[in-house]
Amino acid sequence: MTGPPHGTLHHVELWVPDLPAARASTGWLLRRLGYEVSQSWDTGRSWRLGPTYLVLEQSPARTADHHDRHRPGLNHLAFHVEDARTVDRLAADAPAHGWTLLFPDRHPYAGGDGHYAAYLENEAGFEVELVARDGEDAG
């Protein structure tokens, strides 16, 4: 029996202050990236892509109502995206789903020359980076 390669990320669990809002913003993005809902319960939902899954949970044990990516802990999640055109399309559609483009003055090269990506933040303060796999400019 074979499984995912040793060291492959198994899952990420994010505690969110507002599960319906998180499902609307992060759920939209995960579906666009090819993830499918794998579990759903009153206080959470998980999406799976291959062997990896991501959980959003509104836990009663959390101690804050907003994620601060500038504090110790998780800064952001970065996802491979098919190409630069897909990065552009997702960045254009994201505001309608609760996301704001970070570093708009340096977009799409906020990560440096040759790193074609969109950096997005949702209303709860979570950041995602969408990185074009081919690294090529869409223009």
Side-chain angles (χ1 to χ4, degrees):
M1 180 166 119
T2 63
H6 177 83
T8 299
L9 189 64
H10 186 269
H11 75 275
V12 174
E13 183 169 329
L14 300 176
W15 282 11
V16 298
D18 182 341
L19 183 60
R23 286 191 342 233
S25 65
T26 306
W28 164 80
L29 180 61
L30 292 172
R31 285 188 306 276
R32 292 285 302 267
L33 295 173
Y35 285 75
E36 294 182 3
V37 172
S38 64
Q39 294 181 325
S40 187
W41 60 100
D42 288 345
T43 60
R45 181 160 291 170
S46 68
W47 288 262
R48 178 177 292 278
L49 181 61
T52 304
Y53 64 96
L54 192 138
V55 177
L56 301 178
E57 185 171 7
Q58 186 173 338
S59 171
R62 62 174 206 291
T63 59
D65 286 331
H66 190 81
H67 176 72
D68 184 349
R69 63 187 175 82
H70 298 283
R71 300 189 97 168
L74 178 73
N75 179 266
H76 69 278
L77 297 174
F79 296 94
H80 289 286
V81 175
E82 179 121 13
D83 53 29
R85 283 182 177 72
T86 305
V87 169
D88 293 342
R89 204 168 31 252
L90 289 169
D93 293 346
H97 301 279
W99 296 95
T100 301
L101 182 66
L102 295 171
F103 323 115
D105 58 323
R106 294 181 285 161
H107 174 73
Y109 295 106
D113 293 340
H115 184 76
Y116 201 96
Y119 294 82
L120 305 171
E121 183 177 37
N122 71 7
E123 294 164 351
F126 288 99
E127 178 186 343
V128 296
E129 177 183 355
L130 306 174
V131 183
R133 288 192 312 207
D134 59 13
E136 295 176 9
D137 191 339

